Amino acid sequence: MNLLEIDGSFGEGGGQILRSATTLACITQTPIRVNNIRSNRKIPGLRPSHLTAIKILAKMCNAHVDGLSVGSTSVEFHPDRIDNVFLEEDVGTAGSIPLIMQTVIPLALAGKKLQVSIRGGTDVPWSPTTNYTKYVLAEAYSRMGLDFAMKIQKRGYYPRGGGLVHLTVNPCTELSPVHLIKRAEKKANLVCCYTDEDRISDSIGCARDLLESNGFATSTEKSQEKADNSGASMLIFSHDSNSIIGADELLDLKNRSDFGKRCARDFVGYGMGVDANLSDMLVTPLSLCKELSIFTVPSISKHLETNLYITSKLTGCKYGIGKIDGGYEVRLQGSSDSCIK
């Protein structure tokens, strides 16, 4: 099979291209070369979390990989068969475990069971939190037929990391489309984890007050958990038959008084079918679903644009974006012929 060349500087020019491309390469059994990796970032090339993600994928599909080292700006990935997988991996830094899990979970489409334990960062900057993955992404994926369970054994905040997550992904036999158009219920679930309660108790109350003043019936769950350094994360989420929405935030130790306000404001403002962050996470599996999926989103992020572009190159999926009142509608027609046999 010919090697598919991918320009890693396209669109947002970060790790998203590499993660999506290698995941789909495994599933579709397509050899790829990704060049100009993370060329739009302050420190270009592979970072430890990207390295760990590709190592895990390579083990899962018995791939031959060239260019797998920190700082590398070009990776060649030749996938082979996918087996049942039982792995333990350590990022070695506070590199994002949730981003690594996003690369792993869609491999359930190979019909194999995946069990992976990963050490690294559970709640770190420029990444969804583990609670977002557990409560928001898991709900969206389950509606497609992708079922996974995760146990957060230990939290890991920036800069030390040291978190531990156990992930189990069940085989997926058939993908279902999604239709997520508009939030139908004004309910909010607030989940907060932290190392030091005195730093966040007022923040939870402020976030809850903001939600309730905007008409949301709110439930609250909080948990104090040990970690290698101080930290906290907050998630506000909801799902109904027409929407799956989440907004998360990390504690800024230099500006603690504002913790929770941003994600509460974001959540209140999300009235479409999905939030801006979830939209790009839906694309990879939906590109392999032969039926039409439709979802609405308040804005089109660079990550969403990039993921639509990369998945179309690897799967042949068709997509369209249209402006509607309050946001955008995304239509995605996948190609089941691209899925691994």
Side-chain angles (χ1 to χ4, degrees):
M1 186 180 293
N2 294 333
L3 191 69
L4 180 63
E5 299 275 355
I6 296 173
D7 182 2
S9 67
F10 178 85
E12 57 94 24
Q16 181 74 49
I17 295 176
L18 184 69
R19 287 189 296 270
S20 297
T22 48
T23 296
L24 285 170
C26 288
I27 296 171
T28 64
Q29 299 284 276
T30 303
I32 62 171
R33 181 190 293 121
V34 184
N35 298 310
N36 304 316
I37 294 171
R38 300 183 70 251
S39 63
N40 293 350
R41 295 297 184 258
K42 185 176 180 180
I43 303 177
L46 292 178
R47 305 307 300 156
S49 61
H50 308 114
L51 200 70
T52 303
I54 298 176
K55 281 182 178 178
I56 291 174
L57 290 176
K59 291 177 181 179
M60 287 180 168
C61 68
N62 297 281
H64 172 75
V65 187
D66 291 324
L68 200 56
S69 60
V70 172
S72 174
T73 57
S74 179
V75 168
E76 198 167 302
F77 190 91
H78 294 261
D80 203 335
R81 73 187 188 283
I82 297 180
D83 297 323
N84 291 323
V85 174
F86 304 90
L87 294 176
E88 294 183 6
E89 294 290 339
D90 189 340
V91 181
T93 67
S96 170
I97 294 174
L99 289 180
I100 293 172
M101 288 194 292
Q102 282 183 36
T103 68
V104 171
I105 294 165
L107 265 67
L109 292 167
K112 305 296 183 180
K113 186 170 185 176
L114 315 175
Q115 291 184 324
V116 185
S117 296
I118 311 170
R119 293 185 181 275
T122 62
D123 302 83
V124 296
W126 311 111
S127 164
T129 59
T130 44
N131 280 342
Y132 185 98
T133 306
K134 182 177 180 180
Y135 294 107
V136 180
L137 185 65
E139 174 66 22
Y141 276 14
S142 70
R143 296 192 191 186
M144 301 178 199
L146 283 172
D147 291 313
F148 68 89
M150 52 184 287
K151 179 180 180 182
I152 305 167
Q153 187 75 39
K154 181 183 177 184
R155 295 282 171 179
Y157 299 101
Y158 182 83
R160 294 185 182 177
L164 176 60
V165 176
H166 304 293
L167 173 69
T168 300
V169 186
N170 295 316
C172 177
T173 57
E174 184 178 0
L175 279 175
S176 299
V178 298
H179 293 82
L180 300 166
I181 308 303
K182 189 175 180 64
R183 180 160 58 193
E185 300 177 5
K186 297 199 74 171
K187 294 180 180 179
N189 303 284
L190 188 157
V191 180
C192 185
C193 60
Y194 51 88
T195 53
D196 307 292
E197 185 167 14
D198 60 333
R199 296 182 174 182
I200 57 86
S201 56
D202 291 342
S203 300
I204 293 175
C206 288
R208 185 175 57 242
D209 290 344
L210 195 156
L211 292 168
E212 293 177 347
S213 68
N214 281 275
F216 286 89
T218 305
S219 65
T220 303
E221 177 185 333
K222 61 179 184 177
S223 60
Q224 186 170 15
E225 303 173 29
K226 294 181 178 179
D228 289 352
N229 58 273
S230 295
S233 71
M234 185 181 296
L235 167 70
I236 302 170
F237 74 96
S238 67
H239 23 81
D240 55 43
S241 60
N242 293 305
S243 70
I244 302 172
I245 294 171
D248 58 2
E249 184 176 354
L250 299 176
L251 173 66
D252 182 349
L253 295 175
K254 296 180 181 179
N255 190 15
R256 301 171 189 169
S257 61
D258 285 339
F259 179 54
K261 293 179 181 177
R262 179 181 60 80
C263 68
R265 287 193 297 264
D266 286 349
F267 180 85
V268 169
Y270 289 152
M272 309 299 283
V274 302
D275 64 83
N277 292 320
L278 180 60
S279 64
D280 69 85
M281 302 178 197
L282 301 177
V283 171
T284 297
L286 288 181
S287 72
L288 297 167
C289 177
K290 64 182 179 181
E291 298 179 63
L292 176 66
S293 289
I294 305 172
F295 57 87
T296 62
V297 63
S299 60
I300 303 297
S301 68
K302 283 290 186 182
H303 280 88
L304 176 56
E305 289 181 339
T306 301
N307 237 10
L308 288 168
Y309 168 76
I310 291 300
T311 54
S312 67
K313 284 183 69 71
L314 275 152
T315 71
C317 69
K318 306 297 182 183
Y319 65 89
I321 300 173
K323 186 75 175 73
I324 59 174
D325 289 343
Y328 297 84
E329 180 184 86
V330 180
R331 291 177 173 247
L332 179 57
Q333 182 81 55
S335 173
S336 62
D337 292 337
S338 298
C339 192
I340 194 169
K341 302 297 186 291

